[in-house]
Amino acid sequence: MFLACRREFASIISDEGVLVFFLFLPLVYPLIYSLVYNKEVARDVPVVVVDDSRTPSSREYVRMFDANQGAKVVGYAADLNEARKAMNEKRCYGILMIPSDFDEKIGRGEQADINLYCDMSLLLRYRALFVAATDVSNAMGADIQAQAAGAVASDPLPHFAFSIGNSAEGMASYVIPGVLVMVIQQSLVLGIMMLGARRRQRHTAYGNRIPAMTTIWGRALCYMIIYLPMTIYVFLLVPRMFDFPSTMHIGTVLAFSLPLILAVIFFGMTLQVIVREREDVFLLFVVTSVLFIFLSGLTWPRVGMPFIWQVVGGIVPSTWGVDGFLRINGNDASIAQVSTDYLMLWLLAAAFMGAAYLVEKFIDGRNSGNNC
């Protein structure tokens, strides 16, 4: 096992492509993603108002909208065309249009409408404007109902929201832990596949001297030595560098990372059978990266996916790793509280270890025949 581990270290050090996957990606990509998402929320998004009502009620709505932290009224426009011109020139990212019958409908006790047009080039701006319009509409509606009913207080039962785990309510605090799991998996899997393709191209066979099971565990030891410290950097140091909310502890990170990395290692060893040339790895990188992100449930809940995609996602280690680390990071969950994800990772590690053993026996057999 030590011999196989030493040989794998020598192969990694002598291969620039593998060094890119094993060192550059996990060291640099988390920084790039964190910089991209560092502005977690949008504040004071510029908005132009088209007020066709021009009544005290419409002016009150605009005043409350401008006072909201998500929006900032930068001016008025005579009509929608003038407002669209301002949006096209990037002087604003939203248009608030108040219809001419706004005050009349309120006076008759009918539902009044507000039209909000948003620039969808950045979802953070859309979210900020949508939340601002919703908050103002709810608050103004409550005041109108209270006045109509003759209530003394417009808000007899106030409510307060507290975001547990994601205090900033930001995109990065939610997305980054999941993305970091994907970085760990993709860099490790693709590096292993590239090493496998290199051995197949050179017809290198170790099976005649080292048993297949010992070989895969020796290589796994090599990868673990590299990636366990990398997980500490990725999940503990990077969030603190960018002040992302994080409740992870080193013990929990290492305990959960162990089955995750083992499952990913044996997953990569199993997939190396489909790679014959090193260049094929880059094609797989493009195809699988986006697919695995969607299957993980990071962008869409897995319970809302068709059953077949839930099954496919269930055999990918990152799916359970993303779910587990999101709970650990956001809710300070313990290993016992993410036991389903934890046990599934161990199960996948055991299953892919058996598959990797069969693949190694197959590749060693073919390489031995070619050498003869």
Side-chain angles (χ1 to χ4, degrees):
M1 186 184 297
F2 174 76
L3 180 60
C5 179
R6 189 181 66 181
R7 284 174 170 170
E8 202 68 4
F9 266 118
S11 298
I12 293 172
I13 294 173
S14 62
D15 194 317
E16 295 179 356
V18 176
L19 287 176
V20 169
F21 283 127
F22 280 180
L23 296 181
F24 180 80
L25 261 66
L27 287 175
V28 177
Y29 266 40
L31 301 179
I32 295 176
Y33 281 115
S34 298
L35 287 171
V36 170
Y37 288 103
N38 193 26
K39 190 177 181 180
E40 297 202 68
V41 294
R43 307 289 189 192
D44 293 330
V45 180
V47 177
V48 167
V49 177
V50 180
D51 187 359
D52 290 336
S53 177
R54 301 178 185 276
T55 58
S57 297
S58 65
R59 288 192 290 271
E60 176 66 11
Y61 188 96
V62 174
R63 184 192 67 78
M64 295 174 65
F65 187 75
D66 184 45
N68 191 282
Q69 63 180 359
K72 180 180 181 181
V73 176
V74 295
Y76 285 79
D79 52 29
L80 190 58
N81 289 331
E82 183 180 341
R84 284 178 174 173
K85 182 179 179 181
M87 181 177 286
N88 292 335
E89 295 174 354
K90 300 300 181 183
R91 289 188 283 119
C92 70
Y93 295 98
I95 300 173
L96 183 70
M97 185 175 181
I98 304 178
S100 58
D101 58 353
F102 178 75
D103 190 67
E104 296 177 8
K105 287 187 175 181
I106 292 178
R108 293 195 299 263
E110 300 176 1
Q111 179 176 330
D113 299 323
I114 295 291
N115 300 322
L116 179 65
Y117 301 89
C118 299
D119 181 354
M120 297 297 292
S121 60
L122 185 63
L123 290 179
L124 289 178
R125 297 194 193 108
Y126 161 75
R127 177 182 179 274
L129 294 180
F130 179 78
V131 170
T134 302
D135 290 345
V136 173
S137 297
N138 290 339
M140 194 170 184
D143 288 338
I144 294 172
Q145 289 180 349
Q147 293 173 8
V152 177
S154 61
D155 192 5
L157 187 63
H159 67 278
F160 303 93
F162 299 94
S163 300
I164 301 175
N166 189 356
S167 56
E169 298 184 1
M171 182 69 70
S173 298
Y174 170 74
V175 170
I176 290 300
V179 171
L180 296 182
V181 174
M182 297 302 304
V183 170
I184 291 292
Q185 174 179 279
Q186 291 300 91
S187 63
L188 184 52
V189 167
L190 297 174
I192 291 172
M193 295 173 70
M194 181 172 285
L195 287 169
R198 176 185 178 181
R199 284 190 292 269
R200 296 182 71 177
Q201 286 178 328
R202 297 183 178 185
H203 304 297
T204 304
Y206 298 152
N208 55 348
R209 283 175 289 176
I210 305 177
M213 184 60 72
T214 307
T215 298
I216 64 173
W217 273 107
R219 293 172 183 166
L221 177 62
C222 170
Y223 307 142
M224 291 288 290
I225 293 173
I226 296 174
Y227 268 82
L228 275 179
M230 203 70 71
T231 57
I232 298 175
Y233 163 77
V234 168
F235 293 115
L236 295 179
L237 296 183
V238 171
R240 284 163 173 75
M241 290 168 60
F242 293 91
D243 293 326
F244 293 142
S246 178
T247 59
M248 294 189 187
H249 306 286
I250 186 169
T252 307
V253 169
L254 290 177
F256 194 81
S257 297
L258 180 60
L260 172 64
I261 295 177
L262 281 175
V264 171
I265 288 172
F266 294 129
F267 181 58
M269 290 182 180
T270 303
L271 292 182
Q272 67 177 330
V273 71
I274 66 176
V275 178
R276 299 191 61 87
E277 298 182 0
R278 292 164 57 86
E279 292 76 13
D280 297 339
V281 174
F282 296 97
L283 178 61
L284 288 172
F285 177 81
V286 175
V287 173
T288 60
S289 295
V290 177
L291 176 64
F292 289 161
I293 288 178
F294 281 109
L295 291 178
S296 69
L298 187 62
T299 58
W300 185 260
R302 294 186 68 235
V303 294
M305 300 179 185
F307 177 73
I308 182 63
W309 291 115
Q310 293 185 39
V311 174
V312 174
I315 64 176
V316 181
S318 60
T319 299
W320 306 102
V322 167
D323 186 67
F325 268 118
L326 285 180
R327 295 173 187 270
I328 293 171
N329 182 73
N331 300 323
D332 195 18
S334 63
I335 295 297
Q337 292 170 324
V338 292
S339 58
T340 300
D341 303 307
Y342 191 66
L343 292 176
M344 284 302 302
L345 287 173
W346 279 115
L347 180 61
L348 288 177
F352 284 124
M353 181 187 67
Y357 170 76
L358 297 177
V359 168
E360 186 65 25
K361 291 284 289 184
F362 171 75
I363 294 176
D364 270 355
R366 295 196 60 176
N367 286 345
S368 297
N370 291 333
N371 288 340
C372 292

